[in-house]
Amino acid sequence: MKEEVNAAQVWREYEKMLDYNAGIQLDDNVRVNENFFVGRQWEGVESNGLPTPVFNFLKRVTLFTVASCTSDNIKLTASPAGGGRAARRAAEAVNAQFEEIFERNGITVMLREFLRNAAVDGDAATYTYWDASADAGGGRRGAVVTEIVRNTRVGFGNVADRRVEEQPYILIKRRELTAGLRERARRAGCAEWEKIESDADDELLDSYKDTDGRTTVLLRLWKNGETGTVWACECCRGVMLRSPWDLGLRRYPVTWMCWDNVQDSYHGQAMLTGLIPNQIYINKLFAMTMTSLMMTAYPKIIYDRTRIAHWDNGIGRAIGVSGGDMSGVARILEPAQISPQIAQFISLTQELTQSNLGATSVALGEARPDNTSAIIALQRAAATPNELTRQALYQSVEDLGRIYIDFMAGYYGVRQAEFEPDASLPREVVDFAAGELNLTEGGKLSAEFDFATLRSLSMRLKLDVGASAYWSEIASIQTLDNLLAAGHIDILDYLDRVPDSCVTDRRGLIEAIRGRRAAADGARET
């Protein structure tokens, strides 16, 4: 049965989301974490003229962790679960679209922001939608667009479950200019567009980030049990901007990742949350040390003011006293000594915090690599604490890939796709029929493919990830070179495994070698 949704119901669900966020102090934690990350670490503290030093080692640790988890060249590939020519052709078409979508949306750069949000705010989220007005090339219109969404602007229907696909509904909030929203609603045929009013942002963030003339817009996503697809509606307070419509998707177009999972909550805990007390401790130690140094570090002169009326040469300032033994007219007071334990505890706190997160001197590149094997082993050990985070990131990318396949099946229709020619065909036949086969400059077959067939094909996703520190394309080529030189593989084995970018017309070279071998075998038989 079709679920009836109205603007009042969606707004009540939004207020429920705000109450839950307030109960776990999400907005406050995000605001504090963001301030500490960017260096505003004394905000709201009355310094009373005292120094407010900031030695932001948290930012370095956070960026190091994010960089170590995203330094790999992540490539998403689809492979058929079973055999069959149709499944293989579908996988080739999907992989080509993956590359195009990744390039169009800048997914590699976006993943760094995605993981940074998880480390600082506790959660990271993406929302994917179909932009019907985008130029897809070749005279086509429409493209898949992915964007980052803040965790404070995503609400799950079941707050005790972090699994996206198990949610009864998902809310996504954004802030739009009221004037532009009214015009958009009017053009879309919304009868109540004149009732759209500005409102305040309910998130407890810095006031300067929100201005007058903005309206909160809510997008509600849910799965319709009758159609088995995802539906959506768009509304603001009291106004249904767009009535419920069928997205034609089987999965929610949302990915969600927690940095550290919290039991019975879809919001996780940020890496920074547990480290802020260490940062405050270091900042306070530096502030008190600076205060002490400014007051006592410089020598002071004591003079007999009964014989000298005035003496002031700055810095420590002279102090006049009446009478007493000052060994003549004046005497110098030595400055106070500061305990060396202060500097030791500052260094120890910072080192232990960094090492517990895997940011050791070895991982940061500060150690001398006296032994190559030892330094690699130590770097691998240092990366171990971040392995679970890296795997969670890979899982999010896989989820994103499944969403992309869902969009391809629902929106692409029949499009031109590129396929590898059948390997059983001799190269001479392929070259002879190049015009009929409609081959591209890269030697691939260009043909129409109905992406709607992806619904019926059993496909699985795998991540093809190469760790930049221990595996690279260059290292793999060197290994193949060594195997070929040692005689363990022949030239065909070599060419089958070497990347296309390293050998021009690799397939043509393979077919030429096979042709010469076949001719040689035929000559021997005769």
Side-chain angles (χ1 to χ4, degrees), residues 61-380:
V61 173
T62 302
L63 293 180
F64 165 80
T65 305
V66 171
S68 65
C69 292
T70 58
S71 62
D72 298 344
N73 186 21
I74 297 178
K75 180 181 179 181
L76 189 64
T77 61
S79 58
R85 184 167 177 267
R88 290 196 300 271
R89 288 171 63 89
E92 289 183 45
V94 168
N95 289 332
Q97 292 302 316
F98 277 162
E99 293 183 5
E100 180 181 338
I101 295 173
F102 270 48
E103 182 66 26
R104 175 187 292 271
N105 291 278
I107 298 298
T108 301
V109 177
M110 187 180 295
L111 287 178
R112 294 183 176 90
E113 181 184 356
F114 180 82
L115 198 60
R116 178 264 183 203
N117 288 351
V120 177
D121 302 337
D123 315 291
T126 65
Y127 168 62
T128 302
Y129 62 94
W130 178 257
D131 185 0
S133 62
D135 183 8
R140 304 189 310 269
R141 310 296 296 183
V144 179
V145 180
T146 299
E147 60 184 23
I148 298 289
V149 185
R150 287 205 331 239
N151 65 335
T152 55
R153 298 192 170 185
V154 179
F156 284 3
N158 182 5
V159 297
D161 193 345
R162 69 182 69 91
R163 294 174 298 175
V164 173
E165 294 304 316
E166 302 301 321
Q167 296 303 317
Y169 65 85
I170 297 177
L171 297 180
I172 299 177
K173 165 191 170 182
R174 66 179 183 273
R175 300 279 293 168
E176 290 192 27
L177 292 173
T178 305
L181 181 61
R182 285 177 176 173
E183 179 63 19
R184 182 167 70 87
R186 185 186 67 80
R187 291 182 178 180
C190 177
E192 300 179 310
W193 65 271
E194 294 181 342
K195 295 182 180 180
I196 299 175
E197 300 291 342
S198 303
D199 55 23
D201 195 348
D202 294 294
E203 297 178 22
L204 301 177
L205 299 176
D206 301 310
S207 59
Y208 70 87
K209 293 182 180 178
D210 195 25
T211 59
D212 295 334
R214 293 179 181 269
T215 302
T216 298
V217 180
L218 301 175
L219 177 70
R220 187 184 195 267
L221 305 171
W222 72 95
K223 290 184 178 180
N224 189 300
E226 183 178 347
T227 63
T229 56
V230 177
W231 284 57
C233 71
E234 194 176 35
C235 68
C236 58
R237 186 190 291 267
V239 178
M240 182 63 74
L241 301 173
R242 185 176 180 184
S243 299
W245 78 96
D246 189 353
L247 292 178
L249 303 175
R250 306 290 181 180
R251 302 176 62 89
Y252 284 120
V254 175
T255 63
W256 184 261
M257 172 188 167
C258 301
W259 185 267
D260 279 328
N261 295 334
V262 176
Q263 294 297 328
D264 297 327
S265 176
Y266 76 98
H267 284 295
Q269 177 164 304
M271 182 183 76
L272 247 63
T273 300
L275 305 180
I276 286 178
N278 296 9
Q279 181 71 68
I280 293 175
Y281 172 73
I282 289 178
N283 287 349
K284 284 184 175 180
L285 280 182
F286 270 111
M288 289 185 290
T289 302
M290 287 180 176
T291 303
S292 176
L293 287 173
M294 288 189 296
M295 295 176 62
T296 64
Y298 301 99
K300 295 182 181 296
I301 298 176
I302 301 178
Y303 65 93
D304 189 350
R305 65 182 177 183
T306 60
R307 288 188 275 182
I308 300 176
H310 180 71
W311 187 346
D312 185 359
N313 59 353
I315 308 298
R317 304 292 183 185
I319 302 174
V321 297
S322 299
D325 182 14
M326 282 167 285
S327 300
V329 178
R331 183 166 64 89
I332 296 177
L333 291 179
E334 294 296 330
Q337 298 295 322
I338 296 179
S339 173
Q341 288 184 332
I342 296 176
Q344 294 173 3
F345 270 94
I346 289 176
S347 299
L348 183 61
T349 302
Q350 183 172 344
E351 290 173 5
L352 288 178
T353 303
Q354 291 181 165
S355 61
N356 287 338
L357 293 170
T360 61
S361 58
V362 175
L364 292 172
E366 298 172 351
R368 294 183 59 185
D370 297 325
N371 181 283
T372 304
S373 300
I375 198 70
I376 291 178
L378 289 173
Q379 285 180 338
R380 287 180 174 177

Side-chain angles (χ1 to χ4, degrees), residues 459-505:
M459 303 190 71
R460 61 182 174 88
L461 289 175
K462 68 175 182 178
L463 273 176
D464 182 14
V465 183
S468 59
Y470 316 112
W471 179 93
S472 67
E473 195 171 84
I474 295 176
S476 65
I477 294 173
Q478 290 175 345
T479 302
L480 289 173
D481 290 341
N482 294 334
L483 291 174
L484 181 63
H488 298 299
I489 60 175
D490 65 8
I491 188 63
L492 286 181
D493 295 327
Y494 179 87
L495 291 175
D496 280 335
R497 290 161 179 80
V498 75
D500 290 330
S501 59
C502 297
V503 178
T504 303
D505 193 17

Side-chain angles (χ1 to χ4, degrees), residues 32-55:
V32 170
N33 289 3
E34 288 287 345
N35 285 339
F36 267 81
F37 180 76
V38 300
R40 293 200 301 267
Q41 300 179 354
W42 290 88
E43 188 169 285
V45 178
E46 294 292 338
S47 62
N48 297 321
L50 297 177
T52 56
V54 174
F55 294 85

